[in-house]
Amino acid sequence: MKKLWYRQPAVKWEDCMPLGNGKLGAMANGSPDHGCIQLNEESLWSGTFKDRNNPDAYSHLNEIRSLLAEGKASQAEALACCALTGTPPNETAYQTLGELNLITSHSDYSDYQRSLDLEDACARVEYICGGVRYSRTLFVSQPDNVLVLRFTADKPGSVSFRASLSRSFWADYLSASESEDPDTVCMEGGTGILFRAVLKARTKGGTLRRVGSNLLVENADEAELFVSAATSFASADYRLLAQKAVEQVMAKSFEELFEAHRREYRSYFDRMELHLCYDSSLDLLPTDERLRRFRSGESDNGLVALYFDFGRYLLISSSRPGSLLPANLQGIWNRDLQPAWGSKFTININTEMNYWPAEVCGLGDCEQPLFFHIKRMAAHGRDTARIMYHCRGIVAHHNTDVWGDTAPQDVWVPSTFWVMAFPWLCTHIWEHYEYSLDTSFLRDYWPILQDTALFFIDYLVEDAEGRLVVSPTLSPENSYIHPKTGETANLCIGCTMDSQILRDFFRICIRASEILGTGEELASKLKELLPRLPKTEIHSNGTIREWLEEYEEVEVGHRHISHLYGLFPSEQITPQKTPELAAAAEKTLERRLSHGGGHTGWSRAWIINFWARLQNGEKAWENIRLLLEKSTLDSLLDNHPPFQIDGNFGGTAGIANMLLQCINGEIVLLPALPKEWPSGSVCGLRGKGGLSLNMRWEGGTLADLSIQSPTEQDIALRYGNTVTAVHLVAGINAIDTARLA
């Protein structure tokens, strides 16, 4: 059953039901008497764009590099906090749009249930009050770009309520109506980016009137509310756009609106399906009870599959074609004017993690907003590269915002001075090409690949051993003890993650140049530089070395495990190709976990993917349990804490990677299948080359496999320790699994 359901309204915002169409977001508490639907619009952010590039950066860059080379990390960091920070230091923040408030007299109710149907992207509330059964149905339509809320009752003339729009009391906004229409109220406001939200109603029977900023429905047979919103970021005509959206739906019935919404949404959601065998009677338990039961150690594979589907649902709801912006730290759902970390796009892991499940789960087109935002960033990244570093090309640091700001964010040494965002983001461009084989897409983004490479050609320096390294840099967001001074430090000359990212990125550029028949001179230069990047080394304690020097960590159980980028999402470390590094990666994970690592939701999700890549199904499963037990709210949303959505997306990707991986030219089947999942099936998992795979397994053994291919091609299938060459024809290919044993 693909439904979350509960026997009580949500008390905390984090336990509300999330809905969205990529542009509009809603969190519904489902309360019969004081219903609140918190609203978001993807492009409503604080402030305006500011050129924050620090013109003093370049004149102090070599001094900072020299201080690091001399072992004077604390002095280098102090100077960097003046010379290499943005001016001013902070980007804008994502903000709430406000609330749709619903007031009734239904305080004494019974037989209550609220649910979120993942197959219809629809929330429902049902209860009995005064002998009347009431129901509410809520969805956010992408075709019509409105929130739709329907009230019904099984007794005519029973629907009465008051509805209004509001925003946090310290926010600058106006709630009023510019027309004499008794069915409409509006809300406007904003700082820098301006917004307009419109609430419109219609009823069958009863009366509908506007009193001040409220819509009053009395004694109706049924009623419907429509909410639209638009911002000045999207269009100078945002006020007109918001108004038109609600007016246009008035000509359509609820059934027409719902069917259009459902059909569009399911064109994404129905692309794949996961079934893990479980006791279906558990579906009769509310989701929060199932989660409590799971936390106590009970088995519930149905809950795991539900969590997986919920992750796909959240990605579709917060980022899909038509969205202007990618999913941020909270997807699209944020209740604050000043949220944690600005609810921005944190691009030293979190934004990238948001899109890990996209390609493998058949949602590659949901990455479109990310790709568009990369272009938005590139326009500013050229200025940052030129002004701050006197380099060609483009650069970005560990955060960006609605404007695509690329200057350093805040003044926090463990993260601020990191310049690796663009090459990491470019791996998503390449991955999308690998899965889609869309050459026109790759050609469209070649200028960004090229300009990212130009920056690092100019920015890399030679270290004392003749290696090409990034300096200054840091391993996000970790600290080390300097062996000469004994001081805690973050800035360094080169680190393992930098070299791993650049190794991937340089290879991507070289391959893209060959495919597109362009950029030969650039590719030749990168071929020259590639062997000079530092190799991934093993520490004397048997773990992967995080820094180029053998430093002692301050916090062994740190949440970031950046030096295992080469294990995942990269393919540089695998049990088959690099067994010694794979063993060191395993020891790295064990050491981190034994000292309290994985204590944040997104970190635990990354760890699932690490174990999946190491083909250790039992360890991957153990960390799925821990993710659900310790870092998942009753709503199934990820708990950093506070709520961050990256753990949901990372967890979904981890489950997919336990079932299928496409690495080093091989398609690996059931690479990390745990004993907890002895039987099951998955349909529609995607492989590189445009492949779609259906699998069924029994008793832990692959039983059925079919592969749909867009073209005739040869592939290598790995199952266990056996690699089998398979020739595919265009269309559906039934594979004899006996051949793969």
Side-chain angles (χ1 to χ4, degrees):
M1 182 176 68
K2 296 178 172 58
K3 183 170 76 172
L4 286 68
W5 71 278
Y6 307 86
R7 290 195 175 105
Q8 67 286 327
V11 176
K12 300 183 296 182
W13 177 85
E14 293 86 349
D15 289 332
C16 291
M17 298 178 288
L19 300 109
N21 66 357
K23 293 182 178 181
L24 286 174
M27 288 284 278
N29 71 356
S31 174
D33 53 343
H34 287 84
C36 178
I37 301 171
Q38 186 268 318
L39 305 168
N40 285 105
E41 204 282 343
E42 61 168 343
S43 59
L44 183 54
W45 290 60
S46 65
T48 59
F49 177 75
K50 296 181 178 67
D51 181 355
R52 302 187 308 104
N53 295 305
N54 191 335
D56 292 329
Y58 180 71
S59 61
H60 294 87
L61 182 59
N62 284 335
E63 183 179 356
I64 292 168
R65 287 171 168 167
S66 296
L67 288 168
L68 287 171
E70 295 166 10
K72 300 175 181 178
S74 61
Q75 292 174 248
E77 291 177 358
L79 182 55
C81 286
C82 298
L84 298 187
T85 52
T87 53
N90 294 311
E91 297 167 342
T92 59
Y94 184 50
Q95 294 192 327
T96 181
L97 174 65
E99 298 83 31
L100 169 58
N101 302 294
L102 306 167
I103 306 298
T104 74
S105 60
H106 300 167
S107 58
D108 185 15
Y109 55 86
S110 62
D111 200 20
Y112 176 92
Q113 185 180 128
R114 65 183 172 99
S115 62
L116 178 63
D117 191 325
L118 303 183
E119 293 184 287
D120 291 340
C122 180
R124 295 178 176 88
V125 174
E126 294 186 358
Y127 60 92
I128 294 174
C129 182
V132 179
R133 178 171 291 278
Y134 294 90
S135 65
R136 302 176 189 177
T137 305
L138 172 67
F139 61 91
V140 184
S141 168
Q142 197 275 344
D144 292 290
N145 199 28
V146 293
L147 177 149
V148 181
L149 175 58
R150 187 190 202 188
F151 301 79
T152 60
D154 64 0
K155 180 181 178 182
S158 298
V159 176
S160 299
F161 60 86
R162 171 163 59 94
S164 64
L165 295 173
S166 65
R167 206 163 186 238
S168 301
F169 68 88
W170 57 82
D172 180 18
Y173 76 95
L174 170 69
S175 185
S177 178
E178 292 185 342
S179 72
E180 296 301 318
D181 293 341
D183 63 356
T184 306
V185 293
C186 307
M187 182 172 67
E188 298 187 356
T191 55
I193 295 176
L194 305 177
F195 73 87
R196 179 181 177 90
V198 182
L199 169 64
K200 200 173 185 70
R202 68 181 177 191
T203 62
K204 290 183 180 179
T207 61
L208 167 62
R209 56 194 173 116
R210 176 173 56 82
V211 179
S213 299
N214 301 276
L215 294 179
L216 272 60
V217 173
E218 296 172 310
N219 304 320
D221 298 334
E222 60 182 69
E224 295 160 8
L225 296 178
F226 308 99
V227 178
S228 67
T231 74
S232 58
F233 179 85
S235 172
D237 295 326
Y238 69 97
R239 301 171 82 249
L240 180 62
L241 287 176
Q243 193 68 36
K244 278 188 172 181
V246 292
E247 290 176 353
Q248 289 174 353
V249 298
M250 299 300 283
K252 303 178 182 180
S253 69
F254 175 85
E255 289 73 20
E256 289 173 323
L257 292 169
F258 180 72
E259 182 54 34
H261 152 76
R262 182 179 182 274
R263 184 168 55 249
E264 186 273 343
Y265 165 77
R266 293 197 70 160
S267 70
Y268 298 96
F269 189 78
D270 287 352
R271 292 176 183 177
M272 69 160 299
E273 183 166 1
L274 170 66
H275 178 70
L276 301 175
C277 292
Y278 73 105
D279 180 359
S280 60
S281 67
L282 294 173
D283 290 338
L284 301 176
L285 295 177
T287 304
D288 51 345
E289 290 186 24
R290 290 179 76 169
L291 190 56
R292 284 193 292 273
R293 183 179 176 276
F294 191 84
R295 288 170 181 152
S296 71
E298 297 293 330
S299 175
D300 190 347
N301 285 333
L303 182 65
V304 175
L306 183 66
Y307 180 87
F308 177 83
D309 285 328
F310 185 56
R312 295 194 300 123
Y313 164 84
L314 291 172
L315 182 57
I316 299 165
S317 300
S318 60
S319 176
R320 66 186 192 254
S323 303
L324 293 173
L325 294 160
N328 61 46
L329 277 175
Q330 297 180 70
I332 198 175
W333 301 280
N334 164 46
R335 63 176 171 178
D336 298 315
L337 294 173
Q338 296 179 316
W341 304 287
S343 194
K344 294 190 290 294
F345 309 104
T346 302
I347 45 180
N348 68 2
I349 175 63
N350 311 88
T351 300
E352 290 88 349
M353 182 179 286
N354 283 357
Y355 289 93
W356 285 352
E359 298 294 345
V360 69
C361 292
L363 297 174
D365 43 0
C366 289
E367 287 194 277
Q368 281 187 16
L370 174 66
F371 299 139
F372 292 158
H373 198 62
I374 290 173
K375 285 187 175 180
R376 192 178 287 123
M377 292 170 61
H380 298 300
R382 293 183 179 93
D383 291 336
T384 301
R386 174 177 51 83
I387 295 169
M388 291 191 62
Y389 304 113
H390 288 202
C391 290
R392 297 172 294 168
I394 55 179
V395 67
H397 298 81
H398 87 293
N399 256 285
T400 188
D401 64 3
V402 64
W403 306 103
D405 193 330
T406 54
Q409 158 66 23
D410 61 40
V411 188
W412 192 53
V413 179
S415 64
T416 298
F417 310 113
W418 188 75
V419 296
M420 303 302 300
F422 260 109
W424 193 347
L425 289 171
C426 284
T427 66
H428 284 256
I429 293 170
W430 176 250
E431 183 182 53
H432 185 70
Y433 166 75
E434 285 190 298
Y435 275 83
S436 67
L437 300 181
D438 186 345
T439 306
S440 62
F441 166 83
L442 185 62
R443 190 176 301 279
D444 188 27
Y445 282 86
W446 169 254
I448 290 175
L449 299 180
Q450 174 181 257
D451 282 358
T452 301
L454 288 175
F455 174 82
F456 285 96
I457 289 171
D458 291 353
Y459 191 76
L460 288 171
V461 295
E462 189 176 283
D463 73 355
E465 298 182 24
R467 300 171 297 186
L468 292 178
V469 297
V470 178
S471 179
T473 191
L474 51 91
S475 187
E477 298 167 1
N478 209 356
S479 305
Y480 65 90
I481 299 174
H482 200 284
K484 292 182 180 179
T485 65
E487 295 177 320
T488 295
N490 301 100
L491 281 193
C492 61
I493 298 174
C495 66
T496 296
M497 186 192 214
D498 291 357
S499 303
Q500 291 174 343
I501 291 175
L502 288 177
R503 188 171 294 109
D504 273 351
F505 173 67
F506 284 5
R507 288 170 176 167
I508 284 168
C509 290
I510 293 166
R511 185 71 186 109
S513 170
E514 294 169 349
I515 293 167
L516 298 174
T518 189
E520 293 85 354
E521 184 177 342
L522 176 71
S524 177
K525 182 64 176 178
L526 295 180
K527 288 177 184 177
E528 175 190 328
L529 300 181
L530 187 57
R532 298 183 63 192
L533 295 174
K535 295 179 172 59
T536 300
E537 302 283 355
I538 298 177
H539 195 284
S540 60
N541 64 14
T543 67
I544 298 292
R545 191 185 292 177
E546 184 162 359
W547 295 273
L548 298 192
E549 305 298 325
E550 195 158 286
Y551 296 143
E552 180 184 346
E553 296 172 281
V554 173
E555 182 188 352
V556 179
H558 197 267
R559 61 194 177 278
H560 282 259
I561 316 178
S562 302
H563 45 318
L564 293 192
Y565 167 93
L567 177 63
F568 188 90
S570 180
E571 305 169 13
Q572 294 174 38
I573 301 174
T574 67
Q576 285 77 30
K577 301 290 186 180
T578 59
E580 290 185 2
L581 289 177
E586 183 171 341
K587 188 166 289 189
T588 304
L589 285 171
E590 290 171 344
R591 187 166 187 263
R592 270 285 204 269
L593 289 167
S594 67
H595 288 81
H599 50 277
T600 64
W602 66 265
S603 180
R604 182 69 67 183
W606 199 357
I607 290 166
I608 296 167
N609 286 278
F610 286 144
W611 285 119
R613 187 71 97 216
L614 290 169
Q615 301 179 11
N616 191 324
E618 300 316 308
K619 289 289 188 180
W621 166 247
E622 177 185 324
N623 283 276
I624 288 174
R625 284 211 72 105
L626 289 168
L627 179 65
L628 287 169
E629 290 173 4
K630 297 186 175 183
S631 297
T632 300
L633 299 159
D634 285 350
S635 60
L636 296 190
L637 289 172
D638 173 67
N639 193 19
H640 178 280
F643 157 59
Q644 274 187 200
I645 205 164
D646 38 27
N648 285 102
F649 295 141
T652 298
I655 293 169
N657 279 305
M658 292 166 71
L659 301 175
L660 179 71
Q661 295 175 27
C662 297
I663 53 173
N664 294 323
E666 297 176 349
I667 297 173
V668 189
L669 307 172
L670 304 180
L673 188 69
K675 294 176 182 176
E676 187 72 17
W677 304 346
S679 300
S681 63
V682 63
C683 299
L685 273 180
R686 297 309 201 269
K688 294 177 182 179
L691 304 180
S692 178
L693 290 86
N694 298 340
M695 291 186 287
R696 184 178 64 85
W697 62 95
E698 292 283 352
T701 301
L702 183 66
D704 293 307
L705 171 66
S706 65
I707 304 176
Q708 185 166 352
S709 175
T711 60
E712 185 175 355
Q713 58 181 302
D714 294 312
I715 63 170
L717 291 178
R718 175 180 288 275
Y719 180 54
N721 295 320
T722 302
V723 179
T724 305
V726 175
H727 179 75
L728 300 178
V729 299
I732 297 175
N733 298 258
I735 308 298
D736 180 5
T737 56
R739 289 181 56 200
L740 309 179

